[in-house]
Amino acid sequence: MPFLALRRVTACLAAAAAAVAVTTSASPASAIVGGSPVQASQHPWLAAVGTPLFFVRPAGQFCGGSLIRPDKLLTAAHCVSMFRSTPGLLKATFGRSDLVGRGGETVGVRAVRVHPKFRESTFKDETVLHHDLAVLTLARPVARPTVPLGTPGAERDGLALGWGMRSENDLLNTKLRGVRLPLPGDAACRRAYGGSYDAADMLCAGSEKADTCQFDSGGPLLARGRLVGVVSWGYGCGKAGYPGVFARVADLP
Ligand code: 4AZ
């Protein structure tokens, strides 16, 4: 393996290990609070994104993704930017309700395209993610329905899906869950995050009772069955006054 790639992978694993450490030590409340188990077969376009290198999680899962073309998976840029030159290390698994097990369909990744304006800044000690979108080209097209893209309208809530953490005592959740998140509007996130929140490319969803968290990133926020957002960032998880922030899929270049 070339040195650069190895260094990138090492950095990735270090980041992943750090994410786990943060989750175990400092995680407040929980993710997918108020959510419930979901069968992956109900959302055949939904994938767990992982790498065999991330051995601390079954299937090496660290993010989610949504099939938007037979060979294109939409996810978060921060999930995959370190794999830009080594896309072959990534895997997408569809149709697996529990990451422990062999069900569903696993496909390799041939290319990683990150939003050209993707960048990071900071809010308190959280990383703020701008234009946090990436498209993975799968090694082959899959025979699965795609999810239609949309923009949120007047609806009061949306549905988020993910294999991420439910609470600080739930490090090892491996089951797919779904949660209805209130859509409090841009003003709520501006109150929480000030200038770090940019309504042009971000969307605000969640409450202290319903939120997303570590390992839900890259996964979908649906409104009326359309994909409107991608799980991106937030100040902690389930913290009152700090809704989750999603990348608007309408920001796809
Ligand atoms: C994360 O670390 C993460 N509560 C995802 C979503 C939120 C916070 C953190 C929003 O992947």
Side-chain angles (χ1 to χ4, degrees), residues 19 23 30-31 62-63 78 126 193 205 211-218 231-239 242-246:
T23 307
S30 45
F62 56 85
C63 276
H78 82 267
E126 294 291 336
Y193 302 117
D211 198 6
T212 52
C213 202
Q214 276 88 1
F215 306 125
D216 288 324
S217 278
V231 181
S232 180
W233 63 281
Y235 182 60
C237 307
K239 267 196 175 139
Y242 293 96
V245 182
F246 294 71

Coordinates of all heavy atoms in Angstrom, one line a residue, residues 19 23 30-31 62-63 78 126 193 205 211-218 231-239 242-246, ligand 1:
A19 N -13.9 8.9 17.7 CA -15.3 9.1 17.7 C -15.9 8.2 18.7 O -16.8 8.5 19.5 CB -15.9 8.8 16.3
T23 N -17.9 9.2 22.1 CA -19.2 8.6 22.3 C -19.3 8.0 23.7 O -20.3 8.1 24.4 CB -19.5 7.6 21.2 OG1 -19.3 8.3 20.0 CG2 -21.0 7.2 21.3
S30 N -28.8 10.9 24.0 CA -28.7 9.8 23.0 C -29.1 10.2 21.6 O -29.5 11.4 21.4 CB -29.6 8.7 23.5 OG -30.8 9.2 23.9
A31 N -28.9 9.3 20.7 CA -29.3 9.5 19.3 C -30.6 8.7 19.1 O -30.9 7.8 19.9 CB -28.3 9.0 18.4
F62 N -19.7 2.9 9.6 CA -19.5 4.1 10.3 C -20.5 5.2 9.8 O -20.5 6.3 10.4 CB -18.1 4.6 10.2 CG -17.5 4.7 8.8 CD1 -17.7 5.9 8.1 CD2 -16.8 3.6 8.3 CE1 -17.2 6.0 6.8 CE2 -16.3 3.8 7.0 CZ -16.5 4.9 6.3
C63 N -21.2 4.9 8.7 CA -22.1 6.0 8.2 C -23.3 5.3 7.4 O -23.3 4.1 7.3 CB -21.4 6.9 7.2 SG -20.5 8.3 8.0
H78 N -18.1 14.2 5.0 CA -17.2 14.0 6.1 C -17.0 12.5 6.4 O -16.1 12.1 7.0 CB -17.6 14.8 7.3 CG -18.6 14.1 8.2 ND1 -20.0 14.4 8.0 CD2 -18.6 13.2 9.2 CE1 -20.7 13.7 8.9 NE2 -19.9 13.0 9.6
E126 N -17.4 21.5 18.5 CA -17.9 20.7 17.5 C -17.4 21.1 16.1 O -17.1 22.3 15.9 CB -19.4 20.7 17.4 CG -20.2 20.2 18.6 CD -20.1 18.7 18.7 OE1 -19.8 18.0 17.7 OE2 -20.2 18.2 19.9
Y193 N -26.8 28.0 16.6 CA -25.5 27.9 16.0 C -25.0 29.2 15.4 O -23.9 29.3 14.9 CB -25.4 26.8 15.0 CG -25.8 25.4 15.5 CD1 -27.0 24.8 15.0 CD2 -25.1 24.8 16.5 CE1 -27.3 23.5 15.5 CE2 -25.4 23.6 17.0 CZ -26.5 22.9 16.5 OH -26.9 21.7 17.0
A205 N -33.2 19.9 12.0 CA -34.2 18.9 12.5 C -33.9 18.2 13.8 O -32.7 18.0 14.0 CB -34.4 17.8 11.4
D211 N -33.4 12.7 17.9 CA -32.2 13.3 17.3 C -31.4 12.1 16.6 O -31.7 11.0 16.7 CB -31.3 13.9 18.3 CG -30.3 14.9 17.8 OD1 -30.3 15.2 16.5 OD2 -29.5 15.4 18.6
T212 N -30.4 12.6 15.8 CA -29.4 11.6 15.3 C -28.1 11.7 16.0 O -28.0 12.7 16.8 CB -29.2 11.9 13.8 OG1 -28.8 13.3 13.7 CG2 -30.5 11.7 13.0
C213 N -27.2 10.8 15.8 CA -25.9 10.9 16.5 C -24.8 10.1 15.8 O -25.0 9.8 14.6 CB -26.1 10.4 18.0 SG -24.9 11.0 19.1
Q214 N -23.7 9.9 16.5 CA -22.6 9.2 15.9 C -23.0 7.9 15.2 O -23.8 7.2 15.7 CB -21.6 8.8 17.0 CG -20.6 10.0 17.3 CD -21.1 10.9 18.4 OE1 -22.2 10.6 18.9 NE2 -20.4 11.9 18.7
F215 N -22.5 7.8 14.0 CA -22.7 6.6 13.1 C -24.1 6.7 12.4 O -24.4 5.8 11.6 CB -22.6 5.3 13.8 CG -21.3 5.1 14.6 CD1 -21.3 4.8 15.9 CD2 -20.1 5.3 13.9 CE1 -20.1 4.7 16.6 CE2 -18.9 5.1 14.6 CZ -18.9 4.8 16.0
D216 N -24.9 7.8 12.6 CA -26.0 8.0 11.8 C -25.6 8.9 10.6 O -26.4 9.0 9.6 CB -27.1 8.7 12.6 CG -27.8 7.8 13.6 OD1 -28.0 6.6 13.3 OD2 -28.1 8.3 14.7
S217 N -24.5 9.5 10.6 CA -24.1 10.5 9.6 C -24.2 9.9 8.2 O -23.9 8.7 8.0 CB -22.6 10.9 9.8 OG -22.6 11.9 10.8
G218 N -24.5 10.7 7.2 CA -24.6 10.2 5.8 C -25.9 9.6 5.5 O -26.3 9.5 4.3
V231 N -27.7 13.3 7.2 CA -27.2 13.6 8.6 C -25.8 14.1 8.5 O -24.9 13.5 7.9 CB -27.3 12.3 9.4 CG1 -26.8 12.5 10.8 CG2 -28.7 11.7 9.4
S232 N -25.6 15.3 9.2 CA -24.3 15.9 9.0 C -23.6 16.3 10.4 O -22.6 15.7 10.7 CB -24.5 17.2 8.2 OG -23.3 17.9 8.0
W233 N -24.2 17.1 11.2 CA -23.5 17.5 12.4 C -24.5 18.1 13.4 O -25.7 18.1 13.2 CB -22.4 18.6 12.2 CG -22.8 19.9 11.6 CD1 -23.2 20.2 10.3 CD2 -23.0 21.1 12.3 NE1 -23.5 21.5 10.2 CE2 -23.5 22.1 11.4 CE3 -22.8 21.5 13.7 CZ2 -23.7 23.4 11.8 CZ3 -23.1 22.8 14.1 CH2 -23.6 23.7 13.1
G234 N -24.0 18.5 14.6 CA -24.8 19.1 15.6 C -24.0 19.2 16.9 O -22.9 18.6 17.0
Y235 N -24.5 20.0 17.8 CA -23.8 20.2 19.1 C -24.3 19.0 20.0 O -25.4 19.1 20.5 CB -24.1 21.5 19.7 CG -23.4 21.8 21.0 CD1 -22.0 21.8 21.1 CD2 -24.1 22.1 22.2 CE1 -21.3 22.0 22.3 CE2 -23.5 22.4 23.4 CZ -22.1 22.3 23.4 OH -21.4 22.5 24.6
G236 N -23.5 18.0 20.2 CA -23.9 16.8 20.9 C -25.1 16.2 20.3 O -25.3 16.3 19.1
C237 N -25.8 15.4 21.1 CA -27.0 14.6 20.6 C -28.1 14.7 21.6 O -27.9 14.5 22.8 CB -26.6 13.1 20.4 SG -25.2 12.9 19.4
G238 N -29.3 15.1 21.1 CA -30.4 15.2 22.0 C -30.3 16.3 23.1 O -30.8 16.1 24.2
K239 N -29.5 17.3 22.8 CA -29.3 18.4 23.7 C -30.4 19.5 23.5 O -30.6 19.9 22.3 CB -28.0 19.1 23.5 CG -26.9 18.5 24.3 CD -25.7 19.5 24.3 CE -24.6 19.0 25.3 NZ -23.3 19.1 24.8
Y242 N -30.4 22.5 20.8 CA -29.4 22.2 19.7 C -29.9 21.1 18.8 O -29.5 20.0 18.9 CB -28.1 21.9 20.3 CG -27.5 23.0 21.1 CD1 -27.6 23.2 22.5 CD2 -26.8 24.0 20.4 CE1 -27.0 24.2 23.1 CE2 -26.2 25.1 21.1 CZ -26.4 25.2 22.4 OH -25.8 26.3 23.1
P243 N -30.8 21.5 17.8 CA -31.3 20.5 16.9 C -30.1 20.0 16.0 O -29.0 20.5 16.0 CB -32.2 21.3 16.0 CG -32.5 22.6 16.7 CD -31.3 22.8 17.6
G244 N -30.3 18.8 15.4 CA -29.4 18.3 14.5 C -29.3 19.1 13.2 O -30.3 19.7 12.8
V245 N -28.2 19.0 12.5 CA -28.0 19.8 11.2 C -27.8 18.7 10.1 O -27.0 17.8 10.3 CB -26.9 20.8 11.3 CG1 -26.8 21.5 10.0 CG2 -27.1 21.8 12.5
F246 N -28.5 18.9 9.0 CA -28.5 18.0 7.9 C -28.0 18.8 6.7 O -28.2 20.0 6.6 CB -29.9 17.5 7.6 CG -30.4 16.6 8.7 CD1 -30.8 17.1 9.9 CD2 -30.5 15.2 8.5 CE1 -31.3 16.3 10.9 CE2 -31.0 14.4 9.5 CZ -31.3 14.9 10.7
Ligands
4AZ1 C1 -22.0 12.5 14.4 O1 -21.0 12.6 15.1 C2 -23.2 13.3 14.6 N1 -27.2 15.3 16.8 C3 -24.3 13.2 13.8 C4 -25.4 13.9 14.1 C5 -25.4 14.8 15.2 C6 -24.3 14.9 16.0 C7 -23.2 14.2 15.7 C8 -26.7 15.6 15.5 O2 -21.9 11.7 13.4

